[in-house]
Amino acid sequence: MSNSSATAKTLRRGSSDPDRPPGPNLTDAPSEASAHLEGGPGEDVVSRELEQILASTWFHSSKRSQEFLTFVVRHRLAENNQPLKERTIGTLLFKRPANYATGDDSVVRVQAGEVRRRLDQYYQSPPAEAQVRIELPLGSYTPEFRWLPRPSAPSGDSASLAEPIRPPAAAPAPPSVFTRRRVAWTAALLLAAAAILAAMVFWARHTKSTENALNRFWSPVLATPRPLLICLPEPILYRPSIALYKRHQVNPHEFDNEVDRMNRRPHLLPDEPLKWGDMVEYSDFGVSKGDVKAAFRLAAVANRLGKDNEVRVGNDYAWDDLRNDPAIVIGAFSNPWTMKVISGLHFSFVEDKGVFHIQEQGGQSRAWYDELDRNAAVAVDYGLVTRLVSSGTGQFTVAIAGITAPGSEAAAEVASSAEDLQRALGNAEWARKNVQIVVKTSVTDGVAGPAQIVALYAW
């Protein structure tokens, strides 16, 4: 077998992390795109594409992402038959000890997720000369290479191209080069000025329209002098007791300080029994990362609109507070006040035999469930924005919630985005109405992607 053929076969072979469940490998099936790799200059093309990616806007500012992508691509091009393991990358690239605990140190997993996100952003608008797409599949650290379709050349009339066109003998002499250039420059400047003017008019109208959508959505809260409450839930959280850590330490003094106990797991087998006393309730913990992100985003909107706001967590607020002040309540099943506020509305959160989803009451009776990937991690989530001009509290209330944390992030994104609100609600007369918006988001490594609006109801 020639070296080029071996390289091509190596490029087409999709390696996956053996630790993930078995599943189909898209690169194993021959296709029009992958067929071009056989006998082609695969290694050269991939290397050139790698250089383009590393120099792009998405990668040039992150040295660690550059190093990670270069490492895994070079490993694949070197015709290594063994798939890349997390420990191998951690040891060779991040200089971790050979026996380091991958469960406690997530540097490889986190960086792989960051590289996946940057690659997705890069390929949303790849350069016109890009020939191959470099991918890092979920659950794998071995990249895959796919040829991009080449634009077909425009067809022309070969006969007409073969014989040049000559002007008639009696044709007047053409204008001088200086005159032609002056006319061309004048025309170009006029066209550019017209285009800039049209763009300015469009942008002014678009900006005014979208800003109006944001102002109209939040206008009821601006009509009251009372501060806006931003209310996060604080579910009950349990941690292993110090005595449990001590009983299961492998090395002397391993869990003697709180830093170790906060950042490392006790050495327990999956089937090892525990007593209720081995778990301790911690009232200082339990706020969801997705809820916190949503709160920050919404507080920024309030500040932008010049509205005083206060963030309350857990027991820092009660029903009486919601009756006295306009409020944003965040979280679904983790926040009893959210469930009370949206109870009986057109869209609501429902738990059916341990399965959580958003249910439409009446109408088409639609339902939306989160979706999991092959590693049982959330891959698609749904959120709900509920805007009540006058809720059961008697005050203007907005509920921002998701089936899981990324859904809450997506709902907050829509409620804080003038463009998303304009796209969802348009110019309809809804300023005095109650509104519910169902949103969808794709999730990568626990991070919510752009929100998509899938359903709307106003009354």
Side-chain angles (χ1 to χ4, degrees), residues 123-252:
Y123 282 112
Q124 286 179 6
S125 55
E129 67 273 12
Q131 300 181 46
V132 66
R133 181 185 179 108
I134 299 177
E135 298 178 348
L136 189 62
L138 279 174
S140 173
Y141 302 116
T142 301
E144 296 178 358
F145 312 118
R146 300 179 186 278
W147 283 93
L148 294 173
R150 297 182 180 180
S152 55
S155 58
D157 188 347
S158 58
S160 62
L161 296 177
E163 185 176 355
I165 300 175
R166 295 182 176 85
S176 66
V177 173
F178 176 78
T179 303
R180 290 199 304 270
R181 288 181 177 176
R182 184 172 59 183
V183 171
W185 274 107
T186 302
L189 288 173
L190 290 174
L191 288 173
I196 292 172
L197 180 61
M200 290 175 63
V201 172
F202 171 80
W203 180 252
R205 291 178 177 175
H206 174 74
T207 301
K208 182 178 179 181
S209 177
T210 55
E211 288 300 321
N212 283 342
L214 186 68
N215 290 333
R216 282 192 292 164
F217 186 89
W218 292 103
S219 59
V221 79
L222 302 177
T224 172
R226 301 288 298 176
L228 173 66
L229 301 184
I230 302 175
C231 305
L232 286 81
E234 187 180 20
I236 297 174
L237 179 85
Y238 295 91
R239 290 182 55 204
S241 66
I242 297 177
L244 180 66
Y245 276 105
K246 290 290 187 180
R247 289 203 309 269
H248 292 86
Q249 63 185 15
V250 174
N251 303 312

Side-chain angles (χ1 to χ4, degrees), residues 442-456:
S442 298
V443 185
T444 303
D445 296 325
V447 178
Q452 305 172 38
I453 298 165
V454 298
L456 170 70

Side-chain angles (χ1 to χ4, degrees), residues 43-312:
E43 184 172 349
D44 294 339
V45 174
V46 171
S47 295
R48 287 196 297 271
E49 178 66 7
L50 175 62
E51 292 176 1
Q52 292 288 335
I53 293 173
L54 298 181
S56 70
T57 303
W58 309 110
F59 277 82
H60 82 274
S61 61
S62 175
K63 182 178 180 181
R64 177 164 282 192
S65 294
Q66 289 180 329
E67 293 174 344
F68 188 98
L69 184 60
T70 301
F71 181 87
V72 297
V73 170
R74 293 304 180 197
H75 182 276
R76 181 71 185 277
L77 293 179
E79 302 189 32
N80 289 294
N81 294 326
Q82 296 300 320
L84 267 173
K85 296 295 189 77
E86 179 179 352
R87 187 183 303 278
T88 303
I89 301 175
T91 303
L92 297 180
L93 181 60
F94 296 110
K95 309 304 179 184
R96 297 301 194 263
N99 61 344
Y100 87 103
T102 56
D104 295 335
D105 190 339
S106 60
V107 61
V108 176
R109 297 189 297 276
V110 170
Q111 193 56 49
E114 180 67 19
V115 168
R116 290 188 188 101
R117 284 192 294 276
R118 291 177 185 270
L119 283 174
D120 287 342
Q121 293 169 329
Y122 172 80
Y123 282 112
Q124 286 179 6
S125 55
E129 67 273 12
Q131 300 181 46
V132 66
R133 181 185 179 108
I134 299 177
E135 298 178 348
L136 189 62
L138 279 174
S140 173
Y141 302 116
T142 301
E144 296 178 358
F145 312 118
R146 300 179 186 278
W147 283 93
L148 294 173
R150 297 182 180 180
S152 55
S155 58
D157 188 347
S158 58
S160 62
L161 296 177
E163 185 176 355
I165 300 175
R166 295 182 176 85
S176 66
V177 173
F178 176 78
T179 303
R180 290 199 304 270
R181 288 181 177 176
R182 184 172 59 183
V183 171
W185 274 107
T186 302
L189 288 173
L190 290 174
L191 288 173
I196 292 172
L197 180 61
M200 290 175 63
V201 172
F202 171 80
W203 180 252
R205 291 178 177 175
H206 174 74
T207 301
K208 182 178 179 181
S209 177
T210 55
E211 288 300 321
N212 283 342
L214 186 68
N215 290 333
R216 282 192 292 164
F217 186 89
W218 292 103
S219 59
V221 79
L222 302 177
T224 172
R226 301 288 298 176
L228 173 66
L229 301 184
I230 302 175
C231 305
L232 286 81
E234 187 180 20
I236 297 174
L237 179 85
Y238 295 91
R239 290 182 55 204
S241 66
I242 297 177
L244 180 66
Y245 276 105
K246 290 290 187 180
R247 289 203 309 269
H248 292 86
Q249 63 185 15
V250 174
N251 303 312
H253 311 296
E254 184 177 9
F255 296 114
D256 283 356
N257 58 72
E258 181 65 4
V259 173
D260 289 339
R261 293 191 295 271
M262 285 278 289
N263 294 279
R264 300 182 60 188
R265 300 181 180 90
H267 304 290
L268 287 167
L269 298 176
D271 57 351
E272 191 161 352
L274 295 177
K275 298 179 181 179
W276 181 240
D278 290 329
M279 305 303 294
V280 179
E281 180 180 344
Y282 278 71
S283 59
D284 292 338
F285 298 87
V287 181
S288 163
K289 179 174 65 175
D291 293 344
V292 172
K293 288 183 178 179
F296 273 110
R297 183 185 288 270
L298 295 166
V301 171
N303 292 333
R304 176 180 171 185
L305 297 175
K307 183 63 180 177
D308 291 338
N309 58 91
E310 301 176 8
V311 176
R312 305 283 183 89

Side-chain angles (χ1 to χ4, degrees), residues 384-407:
L384 179 61
V385 179
T386 300
R387 171 193 184 266
L388 301 175
V389 177
S390 180
S391 68
T393 67
Q395 294 285 343
F396 174 75
T397 304
V398 174
I400 301 293
I403 300 176
T404 64

